[in-house]
Amino acid sequence: EDLHAVADVATKKAKNKPTAQTTIEQHAASTSTSIDDLRGQKQQQEQEREEQDERHKFVMRDGGLFPAPLPAGAPGRAEVLEKFHFLGTLIAKALLDSRLLSLPLSLPLLKLICNYPLTLSDLAVVDPDKARHLAELQALATRKVAAEALEDPQQRQHELAQLPDVGSYCLTMEYAPSSTMHGFSSHELVAGGAQVEVTLDNAEEYVRLMCRFMLEEGVAGQRAALREGIAQVFSPAQLNALTPQELRRMLAGEG
C-alpha cells in the first residue's frame, strides 16, 4: 500500500509538471506576440514618417504666405515670377467667379495686391524673429540719438556707456535668407556690404535698408508679376479700392 501511495503521488506530480514540449510552445507563442508587436510599432512609425513627409511638402507659416525676398540676379527668379503671375490670374478668376480659395495668403501679401505700403509691423507677420531683432536695433539707435542730445557731458557719457556693443552681434550690411533654396546665401544691402560692420552708428540705416529689401525691393518683381497675372482677367487698379481685409473676406470668406 505504501508503494502504491508513493506511485500515485509521483504520477500526480508528473502530470502537473510542464513538459519540455509545453515550455517550447509557450516560448514560441510569446516570441510570436513580441514579433507582432514590433511589426506593428514599425508600421506605425513608417506611417507617421510618411505623414510628416507629406506635411513637409507644403510651406506652413503662422502669419500666412508671403514672397521670399529675391535679389535681381537670383538664380531661378524667372521661374518664381512665372508662378506669381499664375497666382495673380488664379486670384482674379476666383474673384470674378465669386469662388473661395483655400490658400493661407498673409495680410501683408494682400496689402501688396491692393497696392498698400508695408511697414515694420507687416514684417512682424512675415518674419517675427527678424522683425523683433530689427526693432531691438532700432530701439538702441534711438537711445543713442537721445543720449547724444543730452547737454550734460557726464550724463551723456554715462548714457552712451550703458548702450550694448552692437559690434558683438557680428552683423554686416547684408541680407541672409533663412534658406538657400533660391540659389543665394546673402545679398549686400549696400555696395561692399559684406565688409561693412553694423554698429550703433549705422544701426538705423541697417534697419531701414533691411526693411526696404524685405518688403519692397526684394518682392517688387513678385508683386508686379501678381498684378500682371490679375491683368489677364481684369484691371488690377480695381483692387486698389479694396482694403486687404475686404480682399481676404472675398477670397477666403474671412476678415
Side-chain angles (χ1 to χ4, degrees), residues 18-244:
T19 62
Q21 181 65 29
T22 302
T23 303
I24 293 174
E25 291 175 353
Q26 292 175 345
H27 179 69
S30 175
T31 302
S32 177
T33 302
S34 299
I35 293 175
D36 290 340
D37 291 342
L38 290 174
R39 187 179 293 114
Q41 292 176 4
K42 184 177 180 181
Q43 291 176 348
Q44 183 178 358
Q45 291 174 354
E46 290 177 351
Q47 182 178 355
E48 292 175 352
R49 191 178 300 112
E50 290 176 359
E51 292 176 352
Q52 187 175 11
D53 292 341
E54 186 68 21
R55 288 195 298 270
H56 286 170
K57 292 180 181 179
F58 304 95
V59 178
M60 306 296 292
R61 298 297 294 265
D62 292 337
L65 302 180
F66 187 82
L70 297 176
R77 186 171 184 267
E79 183 180 355
V80 171
L81 297 184
E82 183 179 347
K83 292 179 179 178
F84 274 93
H85 185 279
F86 171 78
L87 177 60
T89 303
L90 176 64
I91 289 173
K93 283 292 293 180
L95 291 172
L96 189 66
D97 298 339
S98 299
R99 295 185 179 276
L100 299 181
L101 285 180
S102 182
L103 289 175
L105 304 179
S106 67
L107 193 61
L109 176 56
L110 298 177
K111 280 188 170 184
L112 286 181
I113 297 174
C114 294
N115 214 23
Y116 273 60
L118 300 183
T119 64
L120 186 58
S121 63
D122 294 303
L123 186 60
V125 177
V126 174
D127 192 334
D129 292 335
K130 177 71 74 175
R132 182 169 57 252
H133 177 61
L134 293 179
E136 291 174 356
L137 284 176
Q138 181 63 53
L140 290 176
T142 302
R143 284 177 57 189
K144 177 178 181 293
V145 172
E148 290 176 338
L150 294 174
E151 296 182 359
D152 186 343
Q154 291 185 347
Q155 186 179 3
R156 180 170 61 249
Q157 184 178 2
H158 173 75
E159 291 297 329
L160 290 174
Q162 297 301 310
L163 295 173
D165 180 16
V166 175
S168 62
Y169 296 167
C170 299
L171 295 174
T172 54
M173 284 288 187
E174 293 179 291
Y175 165 78
S178 58
S179 170
T180 58
M181 65 175 296
H182 293 299
F184 73 103
S185 58
S186 64
H187 169 69
E188 293 184 339
L189 301 176
V190 296
Q195 283 72 46
V196 180
E197 183 181 358
V198 177
T199 65
L200 275 176
D201 293 328
N202 60 11
E204 189 170 8
E205 181 187 13
Y206 172 79
V207 172
R208 178 178 59 81
L209 293 175
M210 184 65 74
C211 288
R212 188 172 72 180
F213 177 72
M214 295 187 69
L215 301 177
E216 297 178 25
E217 295 176 354
V219 298
Q222 295 92 310
R223 174 184 174 277
L226 271 171
R227 292 178 69 86
E228 288 170 5
I230 293 171
Q232 298 295 312
V233 182
F234 55 77
S235 172
Q238 296 183 40
L239 298 178
N240 295 349
L242 298 176
T243 67

